[in-house]
Amino acid sequence: MIKRGIGIVTYNRGNYIREHVESVLNTAPRDTRIVIVDDGSTDNTAEVARTLDVTYLRGPNMGVGTNKNRALYLLQDCHFIAL
C-alpha cells in the first residue's frame, strides 16, 4: 500500500487553517496522512488545529526550515511527501 503524506507548516493562520485542511482532504486520496506543524503561533491556530482530524504538533517559533524538518520526521513512514 502506498502511503502519501502532506505536511502543512503554519504560523498565525488560525483563520485559514480549517479551510486549508478541508481543501486538502477534499482533493487528496483517502489514504493521505496530513500533519500540521505550528511554528509557535500566538493566535487561535492551536485551538482550531486540535479540532481537526489530523496530526498536530506545536513547537517554539524556530522558522520554516526547522518546522519542515519536523513535518518530514512525522511523515517518515510515507512513500510520497508534499510540504
Side-chain angles (χ1 to χ4, degrees):
M1 174 193 231
I2 295 177
K3 292 184 182 178
R4 296 167 186 89
I6 297 178
I8 300 169
V9 178
T10 188
Y11 177 75
N12 285 345
R13 296 290 184 242
N15 294 335
Y16 306 101
I17 196 71
R18 179 181 309 282
E19 179 181 345
H20 186 72
V21 170
E22 287 174 357
S23 175
V24 171
L25 289 171
N26 289 332
T27 57
R30 285 192 164 176
D31 64 344
T32 303
R33 181 171 179 209
I34 300 173
V35 299
I36 298 173
V37 182
D38 185 355
D39 192 23
S41 294
T42 57
D43 67 352
N44 66 334
T45 299
E47 291 80 18
V48 175
R50 288 184 180 122
T51 67
L52 304 171
D53 190 25
V54 298
T55 302
Y56 174 73
L57 175 67
R58 183 173 192 275
N61 186 299
M62 296 180 70
V64 70
T66 297
N67 286 290
K68 283 183 179 181
N69 287 336
R70 288 178 179 159
L72 288 171
Y73 179 78
L74 293 171
L75 296 169
Q76 66 184 332
D77 62 333
C78 296
H79 294 106
F80 300 98
I81 299 172
L83 298 174

